[in-house]
Amino acid sequence: MKTLRFFFSAFFTHAKLLLLASLPALALTAFGLYQLEVTAPGAWVAALGMRALVEFAFLGLCLSLLNLLGFKNKWGLAGALYAYYLATTADFVLLWYFKERFGAKYLDTLQGGDYDFLTDWRIVSYLVLLFLFCVFAVRRFFQAGRRRTAAGQMAGCALVLAAVYLFNPLQGLSKPNDFLTTYLLPPSPVYTLRAVLAPVPQALRVKQLPPATAQTAKKYHVFSARNSGIGKEYTRVIFIATESLSAKYLHRFNPLIPPAASAVYDRLFDVYPATTLHTVTLSTLYGLSVIFSSHPYARLSYENGYPLSFVRVLKEHGFHTAFLRGAHEDYMDENILFHQAGFEEVIGRNFFAKQAAYAPFIDWWGLTDRKLYEYAAEYLARRKNEKTFLTLLTVDTHVPLGRADYLGQEYEEIAAPFYAVPTMPRAYARAGQDLQHFLQLLEQKGLLDDKTLIVWTGDHPSFSNTPTNALFKPYQRVFDRIPFAVLTQTPLQRPLTQDGLASQLDIAPTILDLLHLPQPQGFFGHSLFEQAVPRSIFDVKEDYVVVTTADGLQVIPLNSSKKADQAVLDLIRTFWIED
């Protein structure tokens, strides 16, 4: 009994401080459950209760370790708590924007961005208040304890964490709540460290499918792309990837968007074959990699030189292939990676900075969209009589608020709330005008003829609605899909599928279908002109994959050892290369 009294008294030595320090993690978990669309009340109660216990024990373990080491400096402890809160804040922001937590994937994407927003008074105020809160909490509730007490507290916290790890009751929840609630359980530093130290996945390059993989592929209707007969010979193919595009910015899908703000986009749906697509990635490199390869495991695609790429197919059939972007061409080594995907040229901000006509229009993430379109029109005019495939990646609609300074370029303003200051809705309204400007330029230069094919979509969606939340209520699932349209001089009369399981995986097969070029046997997707074909979505996250079919949804950890799960994991790691 004496031992138990000592154990519990040690465990609760800093109870007030630990409870206070645990609050941000509880807010993170609650927001994560909301973003991941967990609706079962029991899952919420269980997840929040377990997260409170885990966070309390984890912070208690860290604090007792500092006590054992004789650390007594309150300013230093406040600084450590502040760093921990910044990690939690990063998780919160990434859940807000991407519906995923902080991990190795997003550590890789931190380079090359524009972080001037950190000087915004609201951000500065938040960081200052956060630090003051840490100082208050430590100075008010921290007391340096004896090493014997600290040892007892460490033992108690370690025992709690071990019990949760070995006997996690959240695993008893219904699927997929069992996984989604557990996914949010680890403290931010633990989750990030685990992601960084996780074994590197290995691609399975095969020329002949193993029988087990072939059976799984048949079950999920992959590796069966085919042409629909819609195709013809286009010699000028333009693929436009609008940064962070989401259907929620189109009046057609969201009546709260003013009609004038999305008139250009809505007309595409009225005139041309168009649909919306489920996305299977949440950042530019990952989104484009899935689009190029029709393979869901973006990381394995670009880390292995794109074993599959429709761009390479176009190059092999005589197209000159070029990638134009407003941002740095070497961001995340994309100049090297996209060459491997089949692009002969990768042109971006570094190139434009040396051009007198374009250098004055570079700011923030890069060259303005309007000037990028103007260069693209000039580029195509120079190659008017050559087979050319041109990809355009715009930048003015980059989160968090879109471009703030358009460097003297004039736009038709939208007389509605949220459109008078930098916001994402304003950025998309202006991006639509830039798209219209580009189409007019092509027509003026004689480039919008019966040999021209334009495919317009987004690289990935944007989930954050701050500070324009009022425009996106009530939330609808279609808001998180990306628009997709096929533009030709004479609009094609065959419609695109409106299947809710149509996804980014279907873009590569669709483009090759339109050009009547052979489909690589390793594509996961299908042409969007195929109406009745069953489709499956494989959304590979940081440490799990979400598989969606007409029969329902599965969530599978990437490190699962279950035989049934392994079949799917082998499938998404497989690159079936032509014989």
Side-chain angles (χ1 to χ4, degrees), residues 11-294:
F11 187 72
F12 289 107
T13 299
H14 292 103
K16 292 182 179 178
L17 175 59
L18 296 178
L19 286 172
L20 197 62
S22 300
L23 293 179
L26 289 178
L28 171 69
T29 301
F31 186 71
L33 295 174
Y34 167 76
Q35 286 288 70
L36 295 174
E37 300 176 27
V38 176
T39 56
W44 276 72
V45 173
L48 290 174
M50 287 295 293
R51 183 60 193 268
L53 183 62
V54 167
E55 201 73 13
F56 185 97
F58 175 77
L59 292 174
L61 188 69
C62 296
L63 186 60
S64 59
L65 177 60
L66 291 176
N67 274 335
L68 278 175
L69 296 174
F71 188 88
K72 299 180 180 181
N73 188 299
K74 291 187 176 183
W75 285 101
L77 182 58
L81 183 60
Y82 183 61
Y84 180 61
Y85 276 7
L86 290 179
T88 306
T89 295
D91 265 0
F92 207 109
V93 170
L94 287 165
L95 270 169
W96 197 299
Y97 282 128
F98 301 121
K99 291 193 176 182
E100 288 189 30
R101 286 191 63 185
F102 196 66
K105 175 164 60 174
Y106 295 108
L107 286 175
D108 291 339
T109 64
L110 295 179
Q111 58 169 310
D114 186 304
Y115 299 103
D116 288 344
F117 71 91
L118 290 174
T119 62
D120 184 281
W121 68 270
R122 290 164 292 191
I123 301 296
V124 173
S125 298
Y126 167 76
L127 295 176
V128 170
L129 289 174
L130 186 64
F131 181 71
L132 292 177
F133 173 78
C134 293
V135 172
F136 163 77
V138 171
R139 294 184 66 85
R140 176 68 176 81
F141 297 110
F142 174 71
Q143 294 181 354
R146 295 179 301 169
R147 282 187 169 86
R148 182 172 177 272
T149 303
Q153 179 170 292
M154 176 177 282
C157 293
L159 185 61
V160 169
L161 292 173
V164 170
Y165 177 77
L166 294 173
F167 309 105
N168 182 3
L170 297 182
Q171 296 291 354
L173 295 172
S174 61
K175 296 182 179 297
N177 292 333
D178 59 336
F179 180 81
L180 296 179
T181 50
T182 304
Y183 169 66
L184 293 167
L185 197 59
S188 296
V190 174
Y191 176 81
T192 303
L193 183 63
R194 188 178 64 185
V196 171
L197 297 178
V200 178
Q202 299 298 311
L204 302 175
R205 300 172 67 118
V206 301
K207 291 188 176 181
Q208 184 174 355
L209 285 182
T213 304
Q215 184 177 359
T216 307
K218 184 178 181 179
K219 174 182 177 181
Y220 290 101
H221 310 288
V222 303
F223 299 156
S224 56
R226 64 185 183 183
N227 288 337
S228 69
I230 190 71
K232 58 168 284 187
E233 184 180 356
Y234 295 99
T235 58
R236 188 178 303 111
V237 182
I238 306 167
F239 179 72
I240 301 173
T242 302
E243 173 66 39
S244 306
L245 181 65
S246 300
K248 65 185 177 184
Y249 295 108
L250 277 64
H251 175 77
R252 182 184 188 90
F253 302 103
N254 182 359
L256 295 180
I257 296 294
S262 68
V264 174
Y265 307 135
D266 293 329
R267 182 179 179 276
L268 298 183
F269 276 80
D270 293 335
V271 176
Y272 302 100
T275 188
T276 61
L277 304 177
H278 187 97
T279 55
V280 296
T281 84
L282 300 171
S283 64
T284 296
L285 173 59
Y286 284 70
L288 293 175
S289 295
V290 167
I291 289 171
F292 296 157
S293 64
S294 187

Side-chain angles (χ1 to χ4, degrees), residues 296-376:
Y297 215 142
R299 178 180 175 184
L300 291 190
S301 286
Y302 70 73
E303 286 187 348
N304 289 276
Y306 294 98
L308 297 165
S309 171
F310 87 87
V311 182
R312 193 178 301 115
V313 174
L314 297 186
K315 183 179 177 181
E316 291 169 354
H317 283 81
F319 281 86
H320 176 80
T321 55
F323 187 100
L324 304 186
R325 67 186 309 169
H328 289 287
E329 49 264 72
D330 53 3
Y331 175 68
M332 291 191 69
D333 293 328
E334 288 174 357
N335 55 330
I336 298 172
L337 296 175
F338 294 164
H339 275 301
Q340 295 173 351
F343 287 101
E344 297 170 71
E345 293 184 274
V346 180
I347 299 172
R349 176 175 179 156
N350 296 341
F351 169 82
F352 293 117
K354 300 175 183 177
Q355 310 299 314
Y358 296 97
F361 296 94
I362 295 176
D363 187 34
W364 193 50
W365 275 83
L367 184 70
T368 63
D369 290 354
R370 180 175 297 180
K371 288 299 177 180
L372 182 71
Y373 282 134
E374 290 178 1
Y375 179 83

Side-chain angles (χ1 to χ4, degrees), residues 392-409:
L392 296 171
L393 176 62
T394 63
V395 74
D396 286 359
T397 51
H398 204 289
V399 294
L401 298 174
R403 182 180 290 277
D405 187 354
Y406 285 78
L407 305 173
Q409 297 175 160

